[in-house]
Amino acid sequence: MFEPVIAPSGTLLGLLQRGRGDGTLHALAAPRAEALAALDQCVVSDPRQDWQVENRSLYYARLYLDLDGPLGEIESHLFSADDLVDDTDHRTGLVLSVLGHLASYGRDDALMLLRRYAASGANWAWALDELALRDDDEGLRGLATPILARFPATAEGEAQLAAAVRDAYEPRPWCLWEESPAYGDRLRAARQQGSFDRWQRQLTPNGPRPGWGVQAVFDWAADGLRRGTPLHVPAARCLAAVAAPEDRSAILAAAAGAAGEAARATALHHLVLAEPENPAVLDLIEAAGDEPAVAAYERMCGPAAVDRARQWVHRPDALGEAAAALLAARGGAEDTALVLGALRSTVRGSGPDAQRLFALVDGAGRLSIGCAAPVLRHIYRETASSHLRGRAARALASTDPSFAAGFAVECLWDCEETTREVAAHHAETADARVAPRLRRLASDPAEEEDVQSAVRSRIAPESAV
C-alpha cells in the first residue's frame, strides 16, 4: 500500500484530505465543480494515515449532501478493472462507508450502488454490512442469489461459506436468507459449521499449560520469537502466575540477558509490574535500551519511573522519547519545561505527523502549558492525522484563550466526532455560524450521542427541535 499524497494545508484539497472543518466551509464557498472534484479525489483515493481508525466517511457524505454531489466518480471507482485484482478494504472501504451514510440520509442512488456492488464487487462483504444497517428486508433478500453463488457447492466452497457466515460483522442478511426455503438448509449447515470451527479452535490451544514453570514460559517465548511472533507480553503474564519467590534470581538473571533475547524481554515486562519501584529494574532497562526494554518501561507509571524519566528525557533515542511521553502523562508542574522542550524538538525534528506527538500534545493540555499554544496551533493546521488534530484541539481548549472564537468554530464541522464534541462545548456562540450548526448537529440522526449531549448542554431544548 502506498502512502497517501497529502496536499498543502492551505489548499481546498489539503483541507478536505485532512478532514478539517475548514475544508467543508471552504468547499461550500468555492465553485461547485472545483469542490466536487476535490471531494471525489478524497473519497476514491483514501487520504487517511490510518484508515482503520480515522474517520472521514460521515464528513464526506455530509459534504456530498450539501453540494448535491453526483456519484459518477464513485461508481467508476467501484466498478473499475482494479476491482478484479485488488479486493483490499483500503481500496473501497471509504467509498462504501460514504455510500452507506448517504443511503441513511435517503440517497437512493447510493443505495442502488451498494446493492450493485454487493452483488458483483470484490469487497462485497463490506457493502453487505452497510446494507444490513440501511436496506429493507426485500432489498436484502434480492441479494441472496448473487452472493451465495460466490460459494460453489464443493467442500472448499462450503468451508468458505461457513467462514463468511461466522465472520460477518452484521448477521441480519444471513438470518433473513436462512429463513428462505431455497437457502435455509445450506445456511443452517454453514452456521453450525462455523460454530463448530470456533469451538474446535478453543479445544486445541497451543499456549501455556497448567504445571508450567518459569523455564517453560521462557522456552515458549523463545519459540514464538523463532517463528517471528513475539510473545514476551503474554509470556510475562504467564510468568506472574507461575513465578515463586525462589525464582526471583533466575528472572533477574534473564532480565540481564543470561537466557536469551526472548527471556530477557519477558523478564523485563514481568519485573516492571512485579517490582515497579525497584531501581535495579530501571537500571536493567537503561542497560538494554532496545525496543523490548523501552516497551517494558512504557508500562511503568510510578514515582521511580517518573524520576528516572527526568534523567532520560534528554536522550536522543527511543528511551528518551518514552521518558518524555511518561512525563507528559504523569509529570507534575515542575516538568512543564521538559514536556514543552520535547514537544518543540519533536515538531522541529520529525514534523507535525510524528507518532510520539500524541502523548506530548496530550501532556501540554494536561499541564495547561500556555506557551505551547503556538506549536499546538501549528500541529492543528499541518498534521494529516485527524486523531492528532483532535488531540491538539483538546489541548488548545486548555492553553489558548482564542480557541473558543477561533479553531473551536471550525471544529464543529470536523471529521472526528470527539473533535466535534470539544467544539460543541467551547465554540463561541457570538459567531453567527455556531448556533445553526449546533442545531443541525442536534437534529442529525447520524451524529454521535456524545456530540449531541454536548450540543444539548449549550442550547435550549426547544431550539434543538
Side-chain angles (χ1 to χ4, degrees), residues 9-238:
S9 61
T11 64
L12 174 59
L13 178 59
L15 290 170
L16 291 177
Q17 287 177 321
R18 289 167 172 82
R20 279 183 55 181
D22 254 6
T24 294
L25 297 174
H26 280 67
L28 295 176
R32 181 170 177 270
E34 178 186 344
L36 285 173
L39 177 58
D40 286 336
Q41 182 173 341
C42 290
V43 173
V44 303
S45 299
D46 193 337
R48 292 171 290 182
Q49 283 194 335
D50 188 341
W51 65 273
Q52 293 179 306
V53 299
E54 291 190 36
N55 296 311
R56 292 292 189 280
S57 56
L58 181 58
Y59 172 84
Y60 293 141
R62 283 171 167 167
L63 190 50
Y64 271 113
L65 287 178
D66 291 338
L67 295 172
D68 191 23
L71 304 180
E73 289 297 322
I74 286 180
E75 181 178 10
S76 298
H77 178 75
L78 285 177
F79 298 101
S80 71
D82 290 340
D83 200 59
L84 301 174
V85 295
D86 185 358
D87 62 353
T88 60
D89 289 345
H90 179 262
R91 196 188 83 83
T92 53
L94 177 59
V95 174
L96 296 171
S97 295
V98 169
L99 289 176
H101 283 300
L102 288 173
S104 69
Y105 280 120
R107 286 281 298 259
D108 289 340
D109 52 347
L111 185 65
M112 295 301 107
L113 275 180
L114 280 173
R115 287 177 179 171
R116 280 181 56 201
Y117 190 78
S120 61
N123 196 8
W124 60 271
W126 190 312
L128 184 62
D129 285 337
E130 296 290 342
L131 287 166
L133 297 173
R134 280 108 180 175
D135 208 352
D136 55 29
D137 288 355
E138 183 181 356
L140 290 174
R141 289 192 180 101
L143 292 170
T145 299
I147 287 180
L148 293 177
R150 295 174 179 272
F151 304 99
T154 62
E156 182 180 359
E158 297 302 333
Q160 292 172 346
L161 177 59
V165 174
R166 182 192 67 219
D167 299 335
Y169 188 74
E170 294 291 340
R172 179 176 162 231
W174 303 98
C175 294
L176 281 174
W177 301 339
E178 192 174 319
E179 297 170 359
S180 165
Y183 307 112
D185 291 343
R186 188 183 185 198
L187 285 173
R188 277 189 290 274
R191 178 167 50 80
Q192 291 167 2
Q193 182 62 47
S195 299
F196 178 77
D197 291 343
R198 188 180 296 112
W199 173 74
Q200 197 171 41
R201 286 200 303 270
Q202 293 170 349
L203 286 181
T204 55
N206 56 6
R209 302 285 196 280
W212 274 23
V214 168
Q215 188 57 50
V217 173
F218 287 157
D219 292 342
W220 180 56
D223 182 61
L225 190 62
R226 282 193 296 271
R227 290 185 283 106
T229 306
L231 296 172
H232 48 269
V233 174
R237 292 196 293 267
C238 295

Side-chain angles (χ1 to χ4, degrees), residues 375-396:
V375 68
L376 291 172
R377 287 194 291 265
H378 172 75
I379 294 169
Y380 178 95
R381 292 189 189 97
E382 298 299 329
T383 183
S385 167
S386 55
H387 276 187
L388 181 55
R389 183 178 63 253
R391 290 171 183 251
R394 286 191 291 276
L396 285 167

